[in-house]
Amino acid sequence: MDPGNLSEETIKRLRPPAKGNSITYFAGSTIQGAKAPRGFGVRVTASGARAFILNYRLRGREHRYTIGAWPDWSALKAVREARNLRQRVDRGEDPLKDRAPIPTTKSVSSVIEDFMTRYVRNRERPLRSADQIQSAFDRLVKPRIGRIGAYELRRSHVAEMLDRVEDEAGPVQADRVRAYLRKALSWYAERDDEFNLNAAFVRVGARANPKERARTRVLSDDELRIIWPLLSEAGAFGALLKTLLLTAQRRDEVANMTWAEIGPDGIWTIPAERYKTKRSNHVPLSKAARQVIEAQPKKDRCDYVFPSRTNTAFSGFGKPKARLDKAMQDALQKHGRTVEALPKWTLHDLRRTAKTLMARAGVRPDISERVLGHVIAGVEGTYDRHSYADEKRDALEKLAAMIGRILNPQPTNVEKLGEYRAKVQA
């Protein structure tokens, strides 16, 4: 390293090694008039953590003193401390003997595992979203910052990780990961007086604008005609999305569907413990929905209708959704339309689309609300204990029929029988 080239930006740009750690020495470098003593350097770990160190020899033996982590310690502050330490060494003192023992630290992965075991999957009160939280930690957090020690974790690590999650899975998923990790670290901070939560999370902001998240997106008929054949080629992911639209249920509710939840009468019962309203929801499956579901291959020792490769509930929606978007864009271009003709959409938009299609099919709003599993407010919700099974079945059959008419529109010169009779009678 060129002496004199010491700055915060220089330290930031030091490349982490492939494994272990590496040390870059800055002996003789100056910063704001302060000259770094011999043995002064910056240690960088494979995970990207940086710390200032001082190597020195005393009574024939090499020693290494860790001054502090960057950016908690600025380069100028670390150089000044290193100069004081070097003076003590020159007087024959050993700074390590006077230093309090450094407390052992758990890795971020260890903190997460303890949090999942003791809080998320607590035997007495496990969270309904435990599988979703576990999946987010395993896929998005541990591979990126899991090896970093909890004491060494800094907001720059968290911010960089969330940037990558946002790029791959969108701002909403990044905010979910942020909330999960903050809860885990807050839980750990209550149990370790030495852990500094602010160092890891202060000023790490949310990615999604709440106002922008209040969506009204509904897929158009043309978009449905483009997307449906692509879903038929997308395996379990495509079948899952078809079921989302045909049942008007939420993504994770469909992803966690099991064969045992589907009764011989064709009613899918979503148990209360994994339903958002904490009430079980009974969904009379339409003929079209049953055809999609029954076409899914069954796996040994796996009860999920839409399993992952490891026989768990389907997860990791980001990559297959990105492939689907790309296929939709290609389909648009084949028809001479620009890519910009396809506005961004989310899987939850399918649920909103289903609600809108039921309205077009003549389903009463109160019935479609019950299909969606919403809690009915007021006196009606309190005293009306009718199951509405027949009404919900009729609504979902009308939804399927509406989708069928959209996918296979009649020629413009063909009139519906009811409309023809009305004209004749007139």
Side-chain angles (χ1 to χ4, degrees), residues 301-375:
R301 298 188 299 276
C302 179
D303 196 37
Y304 289 110
V305 176
F306 307 104
S308 67
R309 294 180 179 177
T310 56
N311 289 345
T312 59
F314 192 97
S315 60
F317 294 87
K319 291 182 179 179
K321 171 62 164 55
R323 289 194 293 267
L324 177 60
D325 287 341
K326 178 63 167 59
M328 292 179 69
Q329 291 172 353
D330 293 343
L332 282 172
Q333 290 178 331
K334 287 181 181 179
H335 290 83
R337 296 167 63 181
T338 62
V339 173
E340 289 74 15
L342 177 65
K344 289 184 178 181
W345 66 286
T346 68
L347 300 189
H348 192 73
D349 293 338
L350 294 174
R351 179 170 160 91
R352 192 179 299 106
T353 301
K355 167 78 171 175
T356 303
L357 293 179
M358 281 189 280
R360 286 172 55 183
V363 177
R364 288 179 5 220
D366 61 309
I367 300 301
S368 62
E369 284 292 286
R370 287 179 165 88
V371 170
L372 269 65
H374 288 164
V375 175

Side-chain angles (χ1 to χ4, degrees), residues 119-186:
Y119 181 82
V120 178
R121 298 191 185 278
N122 184 289
R123 292 183 180 180
E124 297 181 359
R125 51 185 186 283
L127 301 186
R128 290 184 295 122
S129 55
D131 290 342
Q132 180 179 334
I133 296 172
Q134 183 77 67
S135 176
F137 280 145
D138 291 345
R139 293 183 297 107
L140 304 173
V141 179
K142 290 182 181 179
R144 290 161 182 164
I145 63 172
R147 291 181 296 175
I148 300 177
Y151 295 169
E152 297 174 339
L153 184 66
R154 295 295 178 265
R155 59 180 178 272
S156 59
H157 300 137
V158 177
E160 182 180 356
M161 176 202 69
L162 293 177
D163 286 343
R164 293 178 63 183
V165 174
E166 181 179 8
D167 292 341
E168 295 175 7
V172 175
Q173 181 63 44
D175 282 353
R176 288 197 188 104
V177 171
R178 174 180 176 272
Y180 298 155
L181 181 60
R182 185 179 183 89
K183 181 63 179 178
L185 295 177
S186 297

Side-chain angles (χ1 to χ4, degrees), residues 93 212 254 290 305 311 363:
E93 301 176 14
E212 294 177 356
V254 176
R290 291 199 303 273
V305 176
N311 289 345
V363 177

Side-chain angles (χ1 to χ4, degrees), residues 229-249:
L230 298 176
L231 296 181
S232 299
E233 303 171 0
F237 176 73
L240 194 156
L241 264 60
K242 285 185 176 182
T243 307
L244 280 178
L245 184 60
L246 289 166
T247 63
Q249 301 307 302

Side-chain angles (χ1 to χ4, degrees), residues 3-273:
N5 187 22
L6 175 60
S7 66
E8 304 298 324
E9 187 64 24
T10 301
I11 298 168
K12 181 180 180 180
R13 292 183 178 180
L14 291 175
R15 293 184 178 181
K19 59 181 180 179
N21 61 73
S22 63
I23 296 177
T24 301
Y25 290 97
F26 290 90
S29 299
T30 58
I31 181 170
Q32 297 185 27
K35 185 177 180 180
R38 65 183 184 279
F40 175 78
V42 178
R43 181 181 62 231
V44 183
T45 67
S47 62
R50 293 159 169 78
F52 297 102
I53 60 95
L54 179 69
N55 277 4
Y56 60 94
R57 178 180 290 274
L58 187 64
R59 290 183 280 277
R61 297 186 61 183
E62 289 284 345
H63 301 274
R64 177 172 296 164
Y65 187 101
T66 301
I67 297 171
W70 180 87
D72 288 355
W73 281 71
S74 67
L76 177 60
K77 182 180 177 182
V79 167
R80 288 172 175 170
E81 178 67 12
R83 289 169 62 85
N84 293 332
L85 293 171
R86 173 53 66 181
Q87 290 176 4
R88 294 181 58 188
V89 172
D90 291 343
R91 293 196 298 265
E93 301 176 14
D94 187 354
L96 286 173
K97 289 186 177 180
D98 299 332
R99 186 170 191 172
I102 300 175
T104 57
T105 176
K106 289 186 175 182
S107 67
V108 172
S109 288
S110 296
V111 171
I112 287 174
E113 288 306 314
D114 287 348
F115 172 70
M116 291 298 303
T117 301
R118 294 179 176 274
Y119 181 82
V120 178
R121 298 191 185 278
N122 184 289
R123 292 183 180 180
E124 297 181 359
R125 51 185 186 283
L127 301 186
R128 290 184 295 122
S129 55
D131 290 342
Q132 180 179 334
I133 296 172
Q134 183 77 67
S135 176
F137 280 145
D138 291 345
R139 293 183 297 107
L140 304 173
V141 179
K142 290 182 181 179
R144 290 161 182 164
I145 63 172
R147 291 181 296 175
I148 300 177
Y151 295 169
E152 297 174 339
L153 184 66
R154 295 295 178 265
R155 59 180 178 272
S156 59
H157 300 137
V158 177
E160 182 180 356
M161 176 202 69
L162 293 177
D163 286 343
R164 293 178 63 183
V165 174
E166 181 179 8
D167 292 341
E168 295 175 7
V172 175
Q173 181 63 44
D175 282 353
R176 288 197 188 104
V177 171
R178 174 180 176 272
Y180 298 155
L181 181 60
R182 185 179 183 89
K183 181 63 179 178
L185 295 177
S186 297
W187 176 88
Y188 178 63
E190 296 175 356
R191 291 156 177 78
D192 188 338
D193 293 335
E194 301 297 327
F195 176 63
N196 186 353
L197 177 62
N198 287 335
F201 241 99
V202 67
R203 294 195 298 274
V204 178
R207 264 56 183 169
N209 186 328
K211 292 183 179 179
E212 294 177 356
R213 289 177 61 181
R215 299 175 57 86
T216 59
R217 178 86 160 88
V218 173
L219 271 68
S220 68
D221 291 0
D222 284 343
E223 289 171 336
L224 288 176
R225 282 190 280 268
I226 291 173
I227 193 176
W228 196 264
L230 298 176
L231 296 181
S232 299
E233 303 171 0
F237 176 73
L240 194 156
L241 264 60
K242 285 185 176 182
T243 307
L244 280 178
L245 184 60
L246 289 166
T247 63
Q249 301 307 302
R250 298 177 183 86
R251 184 195 73 177
D252 289 343
E253 291 156 5
V254 176
N256 285 275
M257 176 192 289
T258 65
W259 295 105
E261 293 172 354
I262 303 174
D265 55 357
I267 294 180
W268 169 34
T269 300
I270 309 174
E273 56 266 25

Side-chain angles (χ1 to χ4, degrees), residues 279 370 375-386:
R279 300 180 183 178
R370 287 179 165 88
V375 175
I376 306 301
V379 175
E380 182 182 2
T382 303
Y383 291 99
D384 190 348
R385 288 293 178 259
H386 179 54

